[in-house]
Amino acid sequence: MYRSPMRHLPIALFTIMAVLALGDSSALCAAAPPLVSSTELVEEADYWDGREVTFEGEAIGDVMVRGSDAWLHLNDDAYAELPIPAGARPQGYNSGHAVFLPAAEARKVTVFGSYRARGDIVRVTGTFKAADPEHGGDMHIAATTLELLEPGFPIERTVPRWKLLLLASLVPVAGASYVAFRNRASALPR
């Protein structure tokens, strides 16, 4: 039996009217800061400067704690979900953004992306600074919150069998070449 989705309209309207009548419209009007990419922030820096933004990416490198604050770098490129060492195909450049935030928030990151690990995927919210004079004119997000979306994981790397066989065959060739060169050099008159 087909039921029209319009049957819920009176309930939805009543709920909205009740919230407005009680004077707490913040639940309806509060909008989260927009989710932006590093490309948007770089290409439209003047527009985003001083605005609240949300940014998601893979924590890479390491955290740099400076007193009660810290710096992180978050990559939001194609490799944030699955890095090349974990099986992704090359598909463009690395891109990301610097984030300045309270050290207590930065400590929520436990795995940083590297050749050996896919870092934690996190979401930060804060104010975008196109050229912050307090930090030498750096472009960054002055974040107030950090939320862990996905924990990082180690990347298992195995050497393909064909590479081991190639190595096993080339080492004796290189050794024989070296011995032959040394013998020839010692046989030359001085």
Side-chain angles (χ1 to χ4, degrees):
M1 174 170 132
Y2 173 75
R3 291 188 177 184
S4 169
M6 297 298 287
R7 73 182 190 280
H8 296 291
L9 186 59
I11 296 170
L13 287 174
F14 175 79
T15 304
I16 292 170
M17 289 186 328
V19 168
L20 291 173
L22 294 173
D24 185 16
S25 59
S26 61
L28 296 174
C29 298
L35 179 64
V36 294
S37 69
S38 59
T39 302
E40 289 175 285
L41 293 176
V42 170
E43 291 180 359
E44 302 166 15
D46 289 340
Y47 173 78
W48 291 108
D49 189 27
R51 294 179 186 249
E52 285 284 310
V53 296
T54 301
F55 187 82
E56 295 177 359
E58 173 194 14
I60 64 163
D62 205 350
V63 63
M64 296 180 288
V65 176
R66 302 292 182 262
S68 61
D69 296 311
W71 287 94
L72 288 177
H73 191 83
L74 303 181
N75 272 7
D76 67 339
D77 54 31
Y79 309 112
E81 287 298 318
L82 186 67
I84 290 175
R89 296 280 174 228
Q91 49 186 327
Y93 299 100
N94 291 112
S95 62
H97 216 70
V99 178
F100 184 72
L101 71 168
E105 290 293 304
R107 286 188 183 96
K108 293 177 183 177
V109 178
T110 58
V111 179
F112 291 90
S114 68
Y115 188 70
R116 297 178 180 190
R118 200 291 308 267
D120 291 343
I121 302 293
V122 300
R123 174 185 299 135
V124 294
T125 301
T127 305
F128 174 69
K129 309 275 184 149
D132 190 354
E134 282 187 48
H135 298 288
D138 285 345
M139 179 183 285
H140 68 275
I141 298 168
T144 53
T145 63
L146 181 142
E147 176 187 357
L148 179 66
L149 299 178
E150 291 179 36
F153 55 85
I155 297 172
E156 297 297 325
R157 298 200 41 95
T158 58
V159 179
R161 184 177 170 85
W162 69 269
K163 287 184 178 180
L164 293 173
L165 293 173
L166 181 63
L167 176 66
S169 64
L170 290 178
V171 166
V173 171
S177 297
Y178 175 75
V179 168
F181 175 78
R182 295 291 293 173
N183 286 340
R184 182 170 179 234
S186 64
L188 293 175
R190 295 187 179 206

